[in-house]
Amino acid sequence: MTGTQLTDTELAAQPAAYWTGVAYEALIAFIRERQAELGFTQPQFWLLRNLSENDLSPDGQGMTVPEPQQAMHTYIRPEDDLTAEAEALVGRAWLRRDGEGRLWITEAGEEARAGLKRHAPGIRERIHHGIDDADYVTALKVLRQMIRNTSGDPDQGLS
């Protein structure tokens, strides 16, 4: 279908599951490529966010790898190895491990997390180029209704 201009009638007959899957893979690949260009992986960023009291951590306390892995269960990909990603962050001194095996974000890790987070608007801007907010909101409302129509919870995993 590359390069094919479909009519509205043809688009209305397209399978949503196919297109949501294609969109998901394309968006994840794009985001991960941009992050790799900046010197980090998406799972590393997620670890930093989950360990930062200035972001997703409710209390800033250290965690063992299974704890953030559980927190990320709705969006972590099967190929993501959080143990290896955590070790890479320990090697960069962005995380430290205590005697009980808990990971803690370091000052350098907090600075890195904040710096990495500043790139998110630029990545979002590239993804949303040529799409006005009203169309984007409509697309999300349609997807959320499809989730509800299939007995799903459109808010599962949102934080």
Side-chain angles (χ1 to χ4, degrees):
M1 292 186 189
T2 303
T4 303
Q5 186 66 31
L6 300 174
T7 67
D8 286 355
T9 301
E10 290 169 323
L11 284 171
Q14 292 288 304
Y18 170 77
W19 288 108
T20 57
V22 170
Y24 173 77
E25 292 299 331
L27 292 169
I28 292 299
F30 178 82
I31 291 165
R32 287 181 177 220
E33 287 167 7
R34 299 299 76 76
Q35 290 173 330
E37 289 169 0
L38 297 167
F40 67 98
T41 68
Q42 191 172 47
Q44 288 172 352
F45 183 53
W46 290 336
L47 281 166
L48 293 172
R49 291 192 68 202
N50 275 276
L51 290 164
S52 172
E53 65 184 338
N54 298 310
D55 206 326
L56 297 176
S57 175
D59 56 14
Q61 296 302 301
M63 296 182 193
T64 60
V65 170
E67 291 171 291
Q69 189 159 8
Q70 176 57 37
M72 299 179 216
H73 80 276
T74 60
Y75 53 88
I76 194 166
R77 294 176 59 96
E79 66 269 20
D80 293 338
D81 181 347
L82 287 188
T83 300
E85 299 289 1
E87 288 308 314
L89 292 174
V90 169
R92 292 176 97 162
W94 289 1
L95 295 181
R96 68 174 175 80
R97 188 179 306 279
D98 68 17
E100 297 173 5
R102 297 179 74 73
L103 297 166
W104 297 80
I105 193 167
T106 64
E107 187 175 322
E110 183 58 35
E111 289 174 16
R113 182 206 58 81
L116 299 173
K117 197 167 186 173
R118 284 193 286 275
H119 293 285
I123 293 170
R124 182 190 187 281
E125 186 177 311
R126 286 271 312 271
I127 292 169
H128 287 243
H129 179 76
I131 302 166
D132 67 45
D133 285 346
D135 287 341
Y136 180 72
V137 168
T138 297
L140 291 184
K141 285 180 177 180
V142 167
L143 291 172
R144 290 170 58 82
Q145 186 60 48
M146 287 181 172
I147 293 166
R148 280 189 289 277
N149 290 348
T150 57
S151 301
D153 177 2
D155 298 318
Q156 180 184 1
L158 289 178
S159 52

